[in-house]
């Protein structure tokens, strides 16, 4: 038996790596401990009991501070009811998120391509549309049901990477517009100068986003020819401040579930630039800071839903109108933009946690590609990699 086989016998965690416009998705399909309960209960259990494994897979030396992951969850309450084919938990450098568009796009392809029923027990329930050359996959994410359509080869047995994956979001809604958030002197960054407040919007697309125009932050050149380190410094200060602002905290209350009610990200937007694919009415660019100050390489699919909901609220976008959303990476390569359109509106979002909201369902599409297949192990006495680390933290 060679060393690889010996290590595998010690309990390997098996993963497929993919990227969507340069943003990684490490799909954990075997070896993660079995979780129980509803999907949100499984998320709680993963956080409380197995966070060291999340760190091991996301952080150094197996990952890095900007790694992203998706854990396959075969059994959830929506899988049991027949509404979903499979569930997932999304992971990042500091925990577990509630929705992720770029990972959903990658997952869609993987779930069509795998025929291993130990990985995807309901794989045979997928019914390819051979005329349209596509198949629908319903994924239960912590925010709810995400309906994914994956292009396929002619026989319907494999995904077709030459055409984009698309998904229908859970209901997205604008939570607050044009908030004037005071910026105390101790929070301000150099480019802001003496400006006492900035304008911020809060919108939900499966997670909550604070949306702010790059020019509001004092960066006159927008997201073109700008200093990334300077914007990062500003957003780090801003995000921590927004999490304490009373009007922001009020906007973050999701009607249905307290566990969805937190600020996931600050999205810095430049409405004036962006690669524009054929067939869209316009384009813009966003720079997404999420979790523990990760920067999304992709246009951020859940925030695309949030931005469309915000534009709908401001009467800037109508049902059926297509728009392109870019990241720094898609602008650089002139490919990889996400496109989106509103397909349903006026959907009530009700619950005991806050007032009723009215949402929209967004059609989002983009492309994902495979980058590798991996088996990760942990050897006895390996304290350094047992829970992973981030180099910057080693200076403390």
């Amino acid at each position: 038996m060679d060393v690889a086989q010996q290590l595998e016998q010690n309990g390997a965690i098996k993963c497929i790596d993919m990227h969507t416009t340069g943003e990684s998705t490490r799909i954990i399909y075997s070896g993660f401990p079995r979780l129980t309960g509803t999907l949100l209960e499984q998320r709680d259990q993963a956080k409380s009991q197995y966070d060291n494994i999340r760190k091991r897979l996301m952080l150094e030396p197996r990952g890095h501070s900007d790694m992203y992951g998706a854990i396959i969850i075969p059994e959830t309450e929506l899988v049991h009811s027949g509404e979903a084919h499979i569930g997932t938990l999304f992971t990042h450098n500091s925990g577990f998120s509630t929705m992720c568009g770029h990972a959903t796009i990658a997952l869609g392809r993987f779930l069509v391509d795998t025929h291993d029923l130990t990985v995807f027990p309901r794989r045979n329930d997928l019914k390819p549309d051979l005329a349209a050359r596509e198949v629908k996959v319903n994924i239960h994410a912590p925010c709810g049901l995400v309906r994914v359509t994956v292009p396929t080869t002619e026989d319907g047995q494999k995904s077709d990477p030459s055409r984009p994956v698309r998904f229908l979001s859970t209901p997205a809604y604008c939570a607050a517009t044009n908030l004037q958030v005071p910026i105390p002197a101790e929070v301000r960054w150099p480019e802001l100068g003496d400006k006492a407040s900035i304008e911020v919007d809060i919108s939900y697309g499966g997670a909550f986003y604070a949306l702010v125009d790059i020019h509001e932050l004092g960066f006159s050149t927008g997201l073109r020819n700008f200093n990334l380190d300077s914007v990062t410094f500003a957003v780090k200060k801003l995000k921590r401040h927004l999490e304490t602002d009373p009007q922001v905290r009020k906007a973050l209350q999701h009607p249905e579930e307290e566990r969805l009610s937190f600020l996931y990200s600050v999205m810095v937007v430049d409405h004036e630039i962006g690669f524009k694919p054929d067939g869209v009415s316009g384009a813009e660019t966003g720079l997404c800071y999420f979790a523990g100050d990760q920067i999304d390489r992709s246009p951020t699919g859940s925030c695309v839903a949030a931005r469309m909901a915000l534009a709908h609220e401001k009467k800037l976008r109508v049902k059926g109108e297509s728009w392109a959303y870019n990241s720094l990476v898609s602008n650089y390569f002139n490919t990889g933009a996400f496109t989106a359109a509103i397909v349903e509106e006026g959907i009530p979002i009700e619950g005991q946690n806050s007032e009723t909201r009215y949402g929209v369902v967004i059609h989002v599409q983009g492309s994902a590609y495979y980058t590798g297949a991996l088996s990760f192990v942990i050897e006895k006495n390996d304290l350094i990699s047992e829970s992973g680390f981030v180099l910057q933290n080693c200076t403390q």
Side-chain angles (χ1 to χ4, degrees):
M1 182 182 298
D2 65 20
V3 64
Q5 292 173 314
Q6 291 175 354
L7 290 173
E8 287 261 356
Q9 284 192 345
N10 291 333
I13 296 179
K14 298 182 179 181
C15 309
I16 293 288
D17 272 13
M18 301 182 72
H19 84 89
T20 313
T21 318
E23 179 70 6
S24 59
T25 301
R26 175 161 288 165
I27 299 172
I28 299 105
Y29 68 88
S30 177
F32 197 89
R34 184 178 180 274
L35 305 171
T36 58
T38 67
L39 186 60
L40 284 174
E41 289 170 347
Q42 292 185 63
R43 181 174 177 265
D44 292 341
Q45 186 181 7
K47 290 168 64 177
S48 64
Q49 298 182 29
Y50 303 113
D51 201 46
N52 65 314
I53 299 178
R54 189 267 309 168
K55 293 176 182 177
R56 187 189 308 169
L57 296 172
M58 294 295 101
L59 305 180
E60 300 178 57
R62 298 170 186 85
H64 51 78
S65 60
D66 289 309
M67 178 58 73
Y68 200 90
I71 304 169
I72 297 291
I73 305 294
E75 299 296 334
T76 78
E77 66 274 26
L78 293 189
V79 173
H80 292 155
S81 71
E83 296 174 77
H85 295 109
I86 202 160
T88 187
L89 294 177
F90 299 117
T91 69
H92 47 65
N93 68 4
S94 64
F96 294 80
S97 51
T98 54
M99 175 54 190
C100 180
H102 90 267
T104 294
I105 291 168
L107 270 173
R109 284 200 62 201
F110 170 75
L111 292 170
V112 171
D113 290 339
T114 185
H115 291 259
D116 186 341
L117 298 184
T118 64
V119 173
F120 186 4
R122 287 164 174 77
R123 172 63 179 80
N124 291 339
D125 292 345
L126 301 187
K127 304 301 181 186
D129 181 337
L130 298 182
R133 290 175 54 205
E134 61 186 28
V135 63
K136 298 185 184 304
V137 186
N138 292 335
I139 299 175
H140 185 188
C143 64
L145 185 67
V146 184
R147 294 165 288 172
V148 187
T149 301
V150 182
T152 67
T153 52
E154 290 185 1
D155 61 4
Q157 297 304 300
K158 292 290 182 182
S159 66
D160 176 3
S162 70
R163 293 180 288 149
V165 174
R166 62 187 189 272
F167 69 85
L168 296 176
S169 71
T170 56
Y173 69 92
C174 173
T177 59
N178 308 117
L179 295 180
Q180 290 296 323
V181 177
I183 307 296
E186 65 272 16
V187 175
R188 293 174 198 153
W189 45 94
E191 292 77 10
L192 192 64
D194 295 328
K195 192 175 180 181
S197 66
I198 63 170
E199 187 174 283
V200 176
D201 299 311
I202 307 295
S203 197
Y204 176 84
F208 279 102
Y209 292 85
L211 298 150
V212 58
D213 191 288
I214 182 67
H215 301 93
E216 277 288 304
L217 301 181
F219 294 89
S220 59
T221 63
L223 291 177
R224 191 196 303 274
N225 299 322
F226 71 103
N227 187 303
L228 181 59
D229 289 339
S230 296
V231 174
T232 299
F233 177 76
V235 173
K236 282 183 178 181
K237 301 197 77 174
L238 176 62
K239 186 171 188 287
R240 286 153 181 73
H241 177 60
L242 291 176
E243 290 171 335
T244 67
D245 184 86
Q247 58 185 335
V248 173
R249 290 173 64 88
K250 181 180 179 181
L252 295 176
Q253 297 307 305
H254 191 281
E256 296 175 340
E257 177 60 64
E258 172 64 28
R259 286 173 289 188
L260 301 176
S261 303
F262 63 95
L263 181 61
Y264 179 54
S265 165
V266 172
M267 170 65 85
V268 180
V269 180
D270 189 333
H271 297 280
E272 299 173 4
I273 66 169
F275 165 66
K276 185 179 177 183
D278 294 337
V280 300
S281 298
E284 59 189 59
T285 298
L287 181 58
C288 179
Y289 292 85
F290 69 97
D293 301 318
Q294 288 189 230
I295 300 177
D296 200 331
R297 276 64 172 166
S298 84
T300 312
S302 50
C303 194
V304 164
R307 288 155 78 183
M308 286 293 282
L310 176 63
H312 181 266
E313 177 71 18
K314 292 186 173 184
K315 303 188 187 307
L316 300 174
R317 214 81 75 238
V318 297
K319 183 178 177 181
E321 182 180 11
S322 294
W323 207 259
Y325 293 88
N326 284 278
S327 65
L328 300 183
V329 174
S330 67
N331 280 340
Y332 182 80
F333 288 100
N334 287 326
T335 188
F338 289 177
T339 59
I342 297 166
V343 297
E344 297 179 55
E345 52 192 359
I347 301 168
I349 306 168
E350 301 172 306
Q352 301 300 314
N353 196 50
S354 76
E355 63 187 277
T356 298
R357 302 285 191 164
Y358 291 89
V360 291
V361 171
I362 314 298
H363 165 285
V364 182
Q365 71 175 25
S367 296
Y369 301 92
Y370 291 99
T371 56
L374 311 98
S375 292
F376 290 119
V377 300
I378 179 72
E379 284 195 284
K380 185 178 179 180
N381 301 322
D382 181 6
L383 300 181
I384 289 176
S385 88
E386 199 279 333
S387 291
F389 66 91
V390 175
L391 180 61
Q392 288 84 343
N393 294 341
C394 296
T395 63
Q396 299 174 356

